[in-house]
Amino acid sequence: MTTVLGCIADDFTGATDIAGLLARSGVRVSLRIGVPEGPPRDTAAFEVIALKSRTAPVGEALAETRAALRWLQAAGAQRFFWKYCSTFDSTSEGNIGPVAEALMADLGTDQTIYCPAFPENGRSIFMGNLFVGRQPLAESPMKDHPLTPMRDSNLMRLLAPQVTRPVGLVDRLCVADGAEAVRQALGRLQEQGITHAVVDAVAMSDLDSIASACRDIPLMTGGSALAAPLPALYIAEEWLAPDATAAAPPRLDAGAVVLSGSCSAMTQAQVAAYLRQGHPACRLDPLELAETGAGPALDWLARQDLAKAPILYATAEPASVAWAQERLGVARAGRLVEDTLATCAVAARDAGACRIIAAGGETSGAVTQALEVARLNIGPEIAPGVPWTFCTSGGRQIALALKSGNFGTEGFFSDAQSRLAQA
Ligand code: ADP
């Protein structure tokens, strides 16, 4: 099938997030991990390419994104979406602005929009200022992010040093007047030579207006929520073939495993809830892993009944994480956990687990890589931004749920399993 929208995401769980929201429409969505080698084959109406470019050096991010664009163009796409984090995670060097300018140059377009709002998840933009819940971005926990500390809440000021052309705003007063008002405002900005337009949105209905106004521009940029209305708009325009709907989920055996390497507050609550339900559990401690390697975890896993959906988790409280990091170093502690969970994912698959749930962005990346998954078909949504995905690994059909740290509610691990049972 010819691809109608090509999406490029700057990180892995961001890619599953946008893919999941697009799949809400029932249209087939396919996610590729990295730029696929070789020409496009068996393409879906919506193709998402997951990069790992958020904090990569600018030159590397540009090269990867341009390669992704070329592949998506070869798949037939004429419209593109550059997806970044809803908290605009970037430094003054980039990579959001430089990548957008490179994509615009390659597409020969002279205007794009920036709308990372995701009101359903508490991200809104008013007068160009991004809020996380009720806090301005620069007062939210994002101010202390280890790689991309966000110390300004104003998207125009954040974007300006990252781009070479002028930055402007379509404000909420205009967006509240609907799609036609947004379209006219963008036209006026274009006449003034404004290349980069930040667009306010405080409600999901604002995103409907913005997506409608921009449905035929070559490049949109923003968070995943802005893309969610696009499938319905494309169907209304008859840009989508009627047989674009997703295939039925594959039939899978009962075996399941949960692998949690996220220490985010929500994951801690999710692990605690899952333990209270009495699932078999194995706690991983990086200090012990440094001594023993993955052996004891693999031995434990080999003794489990996978129908009981056992959990292996390194999820721990900040003090315990800090203790391990002090003794082993941040990178080594992380790697020990990621490597062990990734090895366990392969062992669980080989022992018959067809449903694998991974918690943590980095953890999900390590698990997917170890399972040698190159492509995921997007299935039913478990929580906003977290879909089940279906793929082939080790010659078998499996289902993977990849959850970034703070996504989902307390019952996520068991909700995920019942969601697949209903699908
Ligand atoms: P999140 O999406 O919540 O940020 P990630 O998987 O991206 O989760 O990141 C969590 C990191 O913390 C991973 O590198 C993981 O290996 C590491 N980690 C997990 N548990 C521990 C622990 N107990 N001590 C130290 N590091 C840990």
Side-chain angles (χ1 to χ4, degrees), residues 63-78:
E64 272 193 31
T65 316
R66 286 189 137 131
L69 176 69
R70 284 194 295 276
W71 189 90
L72 292 165
Q73 284 176 314
Q78 292 179 356

Side-chain angles (χ1 to χ4, degrees), residues 105-368:
D106 287 359
L107 291 168
T109 180
D110 59 2
Q111 191 180 54
T112 190
I113 64 160
Y114 295 79
C115 185
F118 195 159
E120 196 182 358
N121 277 353
R123 313 283 193 266
S124 53
I125 309 166
F126 186 67
M127 297 300 162
N129 290 283
L130 181 59
F131 290 82
V132 176
R134 294 181 173 188
Q135 289 175 313
L137 176 65
E139 291 170 33
S140 78
M142 281 306 296
K143 70 182 188 304
D144 300 319
H145 192 281
L147 303 175
T148 50
M150 302 307 290
R151 301 273 161 78
D152 194 342
S153 306
N154 186 291
L155 292 175
M156 282 102 75
R157 278 199 304 260
L158 286 166
L159 186 58
Q162 298 187 26
V163 291
T164 58
R165 308 285 305 279
V167 178
L169 174 70
V170 177
D171 72 25
R172 159 78 177 145
L173 303 181
C174 169
V175 175
D177 284 337
E180 190 46 40
V182 173
R183 194 184 271 273
Q184 286 176 16
L186 286 170
R188 282 193 299 276
L189 289 177
Q190 201 159 20
E191 281 163 19
Q192 295 161 29
I194 305 282
T195 306
H196 304 284
V198 170
V199 186
D200 279 352
V202 300
M204 294 306 268
S205 57
D206 292 339
L207 296 176
D208 290 336
S209 302
I210 300 163
S212 173
C214 297
R215 65 186 181 278
D216 54 359
I217 70 173
L219 178 69
M220 293 167 79
T221 88
S224 55
L226 176 61
L230 293 175
L233 290 163
Y234 289 3
I235 289 166
E237 296 282 357
E238 298 184 356
W239 294 341
L240 263 184
D243 59 349
T245 49
R251 291 203 158 276
L252 299 166
D253 294 337
V257 69
V258 180
L259 304 163
S260 179
S262 157
C263 297
S264 298
M266 182 46 79
T267 310
Q268 289 188 49
Q270 290 162 339
V271 170
Y274 200 65
L275 298 184
R276 281 198 302 276
Q277 291 170 354
H279 294 272
C282 174
R283 182 173 170 277
L284 304 176
D285 176 348
L287 292 168
E288 284 170 22
L289 294 176
E291 300 288 320
T292 63
L298 288 168
D299 291 344
W300 180 85
L301 185 60
R303 294 193 302 273
Q304 300 310 306
D305 174 3
L306 293 173
K308 293 187 178 149
I311 178 170
L312 292 117
Y313 66 100
T315 306
E317 299 192 342
S320 151
V321 174
W323 173 241
Q325 289 177 336
E326 220 169 89
R327 305 278 297 274
L328 300 168
V330 175
R332 180 151 182 248
R335 216 171 34 248
L336 282 165
V337 169
E338 286 166 35
D339 289 351
T340 306
L341 290 174
T343 308
C344 289
V346 174
R349 177 203 65 194
D350 292 344
C354 299
R355 301 143 198 261
I356 299 178
I357 301 172
E362 293 300 325
T363 309
S364 296
V367 164
T368 315

Side-chain angles (χ1 to χ4, degrees), residues 26-82:
V27 171
R28 182 163 170 232
V29 181
S30 156
L31 193 168
R32 319 271 175 165
I33 295 162
V35 182
E37 281 170 22
R41 276 186 30 233
D42 183 29
T43 50
F46 290 84
E47 285 283 346
V48 181
I49 294 184
L51 301 180
K52 216 171 179 296
S53 59
R54 183 168 297 168
T55 52
V58 179
E60 212 173 280
L62 295 185
E64 272 193 31
T65 316
R66 286 189 137 131
L69 176 69
R70 284 194 295 276
W71 189 90
L72 292 165
Q73 284 176 314
Q78 292 179 356
R79 292 170 203 85
F80 301 88
F81 196 104
W82 164 229

